[in-house]
Amino acid sequence: MKVKILVATHKNYAMPKDPVYLPVFVGKALHPDVNQTYQGDNTGDNISAKNANYNELTAIYWGWKNLPDLDAMGLVHYRRHFSLTGKKDVQTVLTQADVEKLLAQVDVLVPRRRNYYIESNESHYMHVHEHEPLEVMKDIIQADYPEYVPAMEKVLKRTWAHMFNMFVMKRQPLDEYCTWMFEVLAKVEARINITNYTPYEKRVYGFLSELMLDTWLETHPEYRVKEVNYVFMEPVNWFVKGGKFLKRKIFGHGEH
């Protein structure tokens, strides 16, 4: 089985040695001289120049368009990987053999769901991000893709989601998902003005796409899905992280 898991990165970092992994330097068109080791996302058909707004999606787009012979493709991050062991060791993450075994039974692998418990995906998004992009995306889906509306409403009301734009997909669902996702995001991009957004908020299309994956999967139950554990390779200060979460919940977007 021909599989590649792209590792989105913007700097040098320890990478898995298993040949299933392909480190991809994202935003290479914006930083052509920063890294000469990793594959850039700026060759062939690409949206590398939009990396500041599309985040890791520029790697997904590059792989989707420029690796057509793959049977399956996935994306992880330089600090966040799928793992069956749970160890914070980049050399014990998901292997080619693991992927082939899992994809013999299902069509799509996603990270273990992230639970918000006290708020929905929609309220979480509104507390953290600018409101307009999500509202525009909802309008576009309602007008142009009505078959996705029930799933979108269901996903927005949930208190959990499959985040980080991490997945491994067989070729057919990959083609279908990427076609839909990038088409919707292009329509959102054409309708909103992010000039005055902060650099963080300008990463808007990457944020929106995190909600689009579950919406797409809900609309296509013909594809079998399996959750896989993931590990974050660096320490997390949960006290600080939890404090920021509660401040946003109490004070709203833009206050902290």
Side-chain angles (χ1 to χ4, degrees):
M1 189 177 197
K2 297 174 68 174
V3 184
K4 281 296 177 186
I5 299 178
L6 312 183
V7 186
T9 186
H10 62 276
K11 63 181 180 179
N12 292 323
Y13 206 82
M15 293 289 171
K17 294 179 180 178
D18 191 293
V20 76
Y21 291 96
L22 176 63
V24 176
F25 188 90
V26 294
K28 185 69 170 176
L30 303 173
H31 309 283
D33 301 322
V34 172
N35 181 287
Q36 305 304 324
T37 303
Y38 302 145
Q39 169 67 51
D41 65 349
N42 64 330
T43 62
D45 187 351
N46 72 86
I47 55 170
S48 179
K50 294 185 176 185
N51 179 254
N53 310 128
Y54 275 75
N55 293 5
E56 63 276 356
L57 298 186
T58 63
I60 294 174
Y61 186 95
W62 177 84
W64 171 46
K65 291 294 189 178
N66 295 287
L67 302 175
D69 296 331
L70 295 180
D71 299 311
M73 191 192 86
L75 180 108
V76 295
H77 300 260
Y78 69 101
R79 295 183 297 177
R80 188 179 284 110
H81 287 268
F82 289 113
S83 174
L84 299 182
T85 68
K87 296 178 181 178
K88 291 194 175 188
D89 179 349
V90 74
Q91 303 310 335
T92 66
V93 297
L94 208 65
T95 66
Q96 169 91 30
D98 293 331
V99 173
E100 291 186 5
K101 185 176 181 180
L102 291 166
L103 291 183
Q105 303 174 23
V106 300
D107 304 297
V108 181
L109 306 179
V110 294
R112 184 182 69 252
R113 65 188 62 184
R114 186 177 189 179
N115 290 291
Y116 292 109
Y117 298 109
I118 63 173
E119 64 178 354
S120 68
N121 288 318
E122 184 169 22
S123 64
H124 176 76
Y125 189 99
M126 293 301 192
H127 282 123
V128 177
H129 302 300
E130 296 284 349
H131 296 183
E132 183 188 19
L134 181 58
E135 296 296 348
V136 169
M137 186 180 80
K138 288 163 60 178
D139 289 345
I140 288 169
I141 290 177
Q142 288 169 350
D144 299 343
Y145 310 91
E147 69 273 23
Y148 286 88
V149 171
M152 178 180 65
E153 292 177 346
K154 183 177 181 179
V155 168
L156 290 175
K157 290 177 182 178
R158 281 179 180 163
T159 57
W160 58 267
H162 299 109
M163 304 298 286
F164 318 123
N165 286 314
M166 288 172 59
F167 61 78
V168 180
M169 291 189 187
K170 289 181 179 176
R171 188 81 226 183
Q172 184 170 330
L174 175 73
D175 287 342
E176 294 175 5
Y177 172 61
C178 286
T179 298
W180 177 75
M181 174 181 67
F182 285 111
E183 188 175 287
V184 172
L185 292 178
K187 292 183 179 184
V188 176
E189 187 176 5
R191 283 182 49 179
I192 66 174
N193 183 351
I194 64 173
T195 303
N196 295 322
Y197 285 14
T198 66
Y200 177 73
E201 286 304 315
K202 286 181 178 179
R203 296 160 57 185
V204 56
Y205 307 110
F207 298 143
L208 288 174
S209 63
E210 288 185 301
L211 297 173
M212 295 179 72
L213 177 59
D214 280 342
T215 297
W216 188 84
L217 291 172
E218 282 286 335
T219 308
H220 293 276
E222 67 270 23
Y223 294 120
R224 300 160 297 171
V225 180
K226 182 176 179 60
E227 292 186 352
V228 178
N229 287 336
Y230 63 89
V231 291
F232 188 72
M233 294 298 171
E234 297 177 356
V236 178
N237 189 324
W238 290 107
F239 181 79
V240 172
K241 193 175 182 70
K244 290 181 178 179
F245 175 83
L246 290 174
K247 283 182 179 179
R248 288 193 298 263
K249 180 68 175 174
I250 295 169
F251 297 105
H253 169 70
E255 296 295 328
H256 291 271

